[in-house]
């Protein structure tokens, strides 16, 4: 059984060369890493911060076919997206689940005349015209057609006002119809990405990964890598360097001495609300609709909370990426438009986040019409004393298509290396999705088999959290040579040994990694100062932190949660933290 904890910058420095170096460990970089590792390629991936901490961590938690891309004429992308959505429901069933989605519609024929203009020019015109039932019905029919082959979800349904309000009584009574279709929810994006990464590492020692390692520049011998924690620098050589740093692609290329202007990402923000009335109003469905400004937005029940998003704003990558107060006001307006009797205010916000989509440069094109498709740019990468290498830059890409994108990119890399493809990832289960129980009966069998050790409820919770890799966690929790496990005092859904497992096996470098990406504690609003202090006391001995480092990690975690995610925290206690 292999783990991520052996993957550090020292493992790269000990052998500072590979056939392929991937810079940027968002989902597309990680998926490309997995694909190449499965082919036996000597491949390394590095990330300047934590794995999946950039654009990939700021998604709407959806795996979707992109019904609105039909209006842009992106039929290839929609077809690929629907195919990949259906595939992920099968190969990652522990994290990707069918999601019933309802569109409230307020007119019948609106937008029919404006639609050709939007399709041909990718512009709204001088005045926004909402899409009516006729246009949406046409889109739903085309969308269903794309799902026909290998479809894993039901076809769409249209309902009139009476039936719609009977099903969702708190919807705006001014609506005329609803259209309901299925896409997919992605409950834990960061954990899914870690599973993809782990699959790559499990392929063998030829696959290496390190977080908190930055591509800082270029020397005549190779890429200059820098440990973001210690500042240690070393040169790394590779035949192919792959830039998958998302919205930071141009900045990475500049650091490598290859300036580019490929990117033009737009910022998307979200808020997470603890509002039981709004949660009940959704009826367990995503509400997906067009706001008054033409922006497609969503209200989405997730983990007992409600996710509301998203915006589509131009952003300067040299500036911080934050969800602003103006965006929050915008979200409250859209909730009031759809559920006018449900009251929401800032006291309901438990978490906020923002990210920049890795979109191509789009000049005068309206942000909402910028292609969500991807392309690969290739350039020679000069190397002293030997033939040039190759720099590949990924422009675009989204969560839904990560597997297909990675196969495309990896195929290009294999051609450059003169190697054959030996494995396809199509239909290949991801991480804890392997042998995941597909029926209620199979689920009960798994829970019963593992419940003897930790109890049925705990086994079920761990299965939901980690998929079938929960068996590894259970083995760790019940190790007879280790101290007895106990629930965390500040969050009994997790236990001390479970946090130790994450810290010791999943490349945790900073305390914030546990709060934001190894668990969903921050996302659902469970983080408090006492919890931060308790977690630090569990993690510190595993990672060998002294008192100074422990205090630094607490302060950094508090700063990020407050400044980036709007989490209000009480002051740190003055009593020394107990280290487990």
């Amino acid at each position: 059984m292999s783990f991520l904890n052996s993957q550090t910058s020292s493992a790269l420095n000990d052998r500072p060369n590979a056939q392929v170096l991937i810079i940027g460990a968002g989902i597309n970089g990680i998926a490309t890493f997995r694909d190449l590792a499965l082919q036996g390629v000597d491949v390394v991936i590095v990330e300047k911060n934590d794995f999946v901490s950039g654009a990939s961590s700021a998604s709407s938690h959806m795996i979707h076919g992109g019904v609105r891309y039909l209006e842009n004429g992106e039929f290839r992308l929609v077809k690929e997206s629907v195919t990949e959505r259906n595939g992920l429901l099968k190969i990652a069933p522990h994290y990707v689940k069918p999601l019933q989605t309802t569109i409230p519609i307020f007119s019948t024929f609106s937008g029919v005349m404006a639609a050709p203009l939007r399709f041909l020019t990718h512009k709204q015109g001088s005045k926004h015209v909402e899409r009516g039932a006729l246009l949406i019905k046409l889109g739903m029919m085309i969308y269903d057609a794309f799902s026909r082959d290998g479809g894993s979800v039901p076809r769409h349904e249209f309902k009139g006002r009476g039936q719609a309000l009977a099903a969702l009584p708190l919807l705006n009574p001014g609506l005329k119809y609803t259209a309901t279709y299925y896409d997919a929810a992605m409950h834990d994006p960061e954990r899914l990405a870690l599973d993809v990464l782990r699959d790559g590492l499990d392929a063998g020692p030829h696959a290496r990964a390190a977080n908190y390692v930055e591509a800082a520049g270029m020397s005549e011998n190779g890429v200059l890598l820098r440990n973001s924690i210690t500042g240690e620098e070393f040169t790394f050589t590779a035949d192919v360097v792959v830039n998958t740093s998302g919205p930071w692609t141009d900045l990475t290329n500049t650091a490598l001495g290859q300036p580019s202007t490929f990117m033009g990402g737009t910022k998307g923000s979200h808020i997470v609300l603890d509002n039981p009335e709004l949660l009940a109003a959704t009826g367990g469905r995503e509400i997906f609709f067009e706001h008054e400004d033409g922006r497609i937005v969503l209200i989405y029940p997730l983990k007992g909370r409600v996710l509301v998003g998203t915006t589509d704003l131009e952003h300067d990558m040299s500036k911080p990426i934050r969800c602003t107060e103006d965006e929050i006001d915008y979200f409250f307006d859209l909730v009031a438009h759809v559920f006018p009797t449900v009251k929401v205010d800032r006291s309901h916000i438990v978490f906020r986040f923002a990210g920049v989509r890795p979109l191509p440069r789009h000049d005068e094109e309206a942000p909402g019409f910028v292609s969500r498709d991807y392309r690969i740019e290739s350039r020679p990468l000069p190397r002293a004393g030997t033939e040039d290498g190759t720099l590949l830059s990924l422009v675009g890409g989204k969560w839904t298509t990560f597997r297909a994108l990675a196969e495309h990119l990896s195929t290009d890399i294999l051609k450059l290396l003169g190697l054959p493809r030996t494995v396809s990832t199509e239909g290949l289960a991801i991480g804890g999705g392997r042998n995941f129980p597909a029926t209620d009966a199979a689920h009960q069998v798994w829970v019963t088999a593992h419940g003897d050790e930790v109890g049925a409820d705990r086994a079920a919770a761990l299965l939901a959290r980690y998929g079938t890799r929960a068996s590894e966690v259970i083995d760790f929790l019940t190790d007879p040579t280790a101290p007895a496990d106990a629930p965390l005092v500040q969050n009994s859904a997790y236990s001390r040994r479970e946090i130790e497992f994450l810290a010791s096996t999943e490349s945790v470098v900073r305390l914030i990694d546990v709060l934001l990406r190894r668990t969903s504690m921050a996302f659902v609003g469970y983080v408090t100062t006492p919890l931060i202090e308790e977690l630090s006391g569990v993690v510190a001995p595993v990672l060998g932190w002294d008192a100074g480092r422990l205090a630094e990690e607490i302060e950094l975690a508090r700063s990020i949660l407050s400044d980036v995610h709007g989490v209000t925290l009480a002051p740190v206690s003055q009593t020394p933290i107990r280290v487990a």
Side-chain angles (χ1 to χ4, degrees):
M1 183 167 59
S2 65
F3 296 107
L4 302 184
N5 59 324
S6 63
Q7 307 299 317
T8 64
S9 63
S10 61
L12 309 188
N13 201 2
D14 291 343
R15 182 165 69 85
N17 56 78
Q19 291 173 294
V20 179
L21 170 65
I22 301 172
I23 301 169
I27 185 55
N28 291 315
I30 285 173
T32 304
F33 170 80
R34 173 191 187 235
D35 194 300
L36 291 172
L38 292 173
Q39 316 308 318
V41 173
D42 184 7
V43 59
V44 163
I45 187 169
V46 296
E47 166 59 47
K48 68 178 180 179
N49 295 304
D50 190 20
F51 299 122
V52 213
S53 62
S56 295
S57 69
S59 77
S60 295
H61 288 60
M62 291 177 61
I63 297 294
H64 64 98
V67 63
R68 74 180 188 85
Y69 306 152
L70 293 171
E71 189 174 68
N72 295 4
E74 296 187 274
F75 300 114
R76 188 213 69 81
L77 178 60
V78 175
K79 174 61 175 174
E80 180 180 70
S81 298
V82 169
T83 300
E84 291 302 305
R85 179 202 66 191
N86 293 343
L88 284 168
L89 286 166
K90 297 173 182 176
I91 67 176
H94 53 323
Y95 295 137
V96 181
K97 313 282 185 181
L99 176 65
Q100 190 177 22
T101 302
T102 292
I103 305 173
I105 306 168
F106 294 87
S107 67
T108 303
F109 300 106
S110 179
V112 171
M113 299 302 293
L117 175 68
R118 287 197 295 255
F119 182 85
L120 294 171
T121 69
H122 289 187
K123 294 180 180 178
Q124 288 282 7
S126 59
K127 183 180 180 181
H128 167 64
V129 180
E130 70 175 300
R131 299 157 182 86
L134 185 60
L135 277 179
I136 292 173
K137 179 68 174 179
L138 178 60
M140 291 286 98
M141 291 170 65
I142 297 173
Y143 201 55
D144 282 347
F146 281 122
S147 292
R148 186 169 299 155
D149 294 331
S152 301
V153 298
R155 293 177 180 271
H156 81 276
E157 292 182 344
F158 250 74
K159 293 185 182 298
R161 179 178 180 274
Q163 286 184 306
L165 292 177
L168 298 170
L170 294 185
L171 279 176
N172 188 327
L175 63 77
K176 291 188 175 181
Y177 314 91
T178 58
T180 297
Y181 67 103
Y182 279 82
D183 263 325
M186 178 171 54
H187 291 191
D188 290 280
E190 293 84 0
R191 292 222 55 87
L192 175 56
L194 288 171
D195 262 11
V196 176
L197 179 65
R198 167 78 177 274
D199 283 354
L201 292 170
D202 282 350
H206 60 279
R208 293 171 288 162
N211 51 351
Y212 293 96
V213 173
E214 178 181 7
M218 194 79 186
S219 73
E220 64 177 10
N221 296 317
V223 178
L224 184 65
L225 298 182
R226 178 187 300 137
N227 185 307
S228 303
I229 306 297
T230 67
E232 173 196 17
E233 294 185 346
F234 57 97
T235 299
F236 196 94
T237 61
D239 298 318
V240 181
V241 176
V242 186
N243 182 355
T244 54
S245 52
W248 294 273
T249 293
D250 290 332
L251 299 179
T252 300
N253 282 341
T254 298
L256 297 177
Q258 298 288 324
S260 63
T261 55
F262 298 141
M263 308 305 296
T266 61
K267 186 183 75 166
S269 295
H270 299 77
I271 55 175
V272 181
L273 302 173
D274 183 2
N275 184 315
E277 185 181 12
L278 181 60
L279 180 64
T282 67
R285 311 180 188 191
E286 176 197 27
I287 309 299
F288 185 72
F289 63 100
E290 179 183 18
H291 199 31
E292 295 171 348
D293 60 357
R295 173 66 193 152
I296 304 298
V297 290
L298 56 90
I299 300 172
Y300 170 20
L302 184 67
K303 296 179 179 291
R305 304 291 184 260
V306 181
L307 178 65
V308 182
T310 175
T311 48
D312 205 356
L313 304 171
E314 302 289 353
H315 185 76
D316 180 350
M317 289 306 297
S318 66
K319 296 181 179 179
I321 306 168
R322 301 288 186 271
C323 175
T324 66
E325 294 303 314
D326 286 345
E327 288 174 294
I328 291 173
D329 289 337
Y330 175 83
F331 293 143
F332 288 164
D333 285 344
L334 69 89
V335 172
H337 176 62
V338 178
F339 296 110
T341 64
V342 177
K343 304 302 180 186
V344 295
D345 58 47
R346 280 170 169 75
S347 69
H348 298 131
I349 301 174
V350 297
F351 193 70
R352 65 179 78 173
F353 61 96
V356 175
R357 303 172 182 88
L359 303 180
R361 181 178 177 180
H362 51 274
D363 298 321
E364 298 302 315
E365 190 170 32
F369 288 105
V370 180
S371 174
R372 267 54 174 177
D373 212 339
Y374 56 87
R375 71 178 194 269
I376 301 162
E377 297 281 351
S378 177
R379 291 181 177 181
L381 193 62
R383 296 186 295 181
T386 185
E387 63 179 306
D388 289 350
T390 302
L391 171 63
L392 298 179
S393 299
L394 174 64
V395 181
K398 63 195 192 87
W399 258 101
T400 302
T401 57
F402 74 80
R403 189 215 61 83
L405 182 155
E407 189 163 88
H408 179 182
L409 180 51
S410 296
T411 297
D412 286 0
I413 295 168
L414 290 170
K415 289 178 181 177
L416 288 170
L417 297 174
L419 298 173
R421 171 171 291 279
T422 58
V423 176
S424 173
T425 57
E426 185 174 4
L428 186 64
I430 294 172
R434 291 189 192 91
N435 302 315
F436 189 80
T439 65
D440 290 344
H443 183 276
Q444 186 60 44
V445 168
W446 196 97
V447 168
T448 300
H450 294 82
D452 289 343
E453 301 173 273
V454 294
D457 289 346
R458 178 75 164 138
L462 293 173
L463 177 63
R465 194 172 289 162
Y466 304 106
T468 52
R469 280 186 170 155
S471 60
E472 298 174 7
V473 182
I474 292 171
D475 288 344
F476 188 89
L477 302 184
T478 57
D479 180 354
T481 66
D485 195 17
L488 293 178
V489 174
Q490 302 298 329
N491 186 344
S492 60
Y494 288 84
S495 71
R496 299 180 67 86
R497 289 282 291 164
E498 183 179 354
I499 299 303
E500 289 175 0
F501 177 86
L502 299 177
S504 62
T505 67
E506 292 195 346
S507 282
V508 170
V509 174
R510 292 200 176 278
L511 182 61
I512 195 67
D513 301 340
V514 176
L515 292 163
L516 290 180
R517 289 170 289 276
R518 305 309 183 274
T519 75
S520 56
M521 292 182 189
F523 183 89
V524 297
Y526 284 163
V527 174
T528 61
T529 294
L531 175 64
I532 291 174
E533 293 176 332
E534 183 179 16
L535 285 174
S536 68
V538 176
V539 171
V542 176
L543 300 183
W545 293 345
D546 60 19
R549 176 65 185 274
L550 187 149
E552 174 189 335
E553 291 298 329
I554 291 175
E555 181 56 34
L556 179 64
R558 287 172 53 83
S559 174
I560 291 172
L561 290 168
S562 173
D563 178 50
V564 180
H565 301 293
V567 178
T568 302
L569 295 166
V572 175
S573 67
Q574 298 303 307
T575 56
I577 296 170
R578 184 178 69 86
V579 176

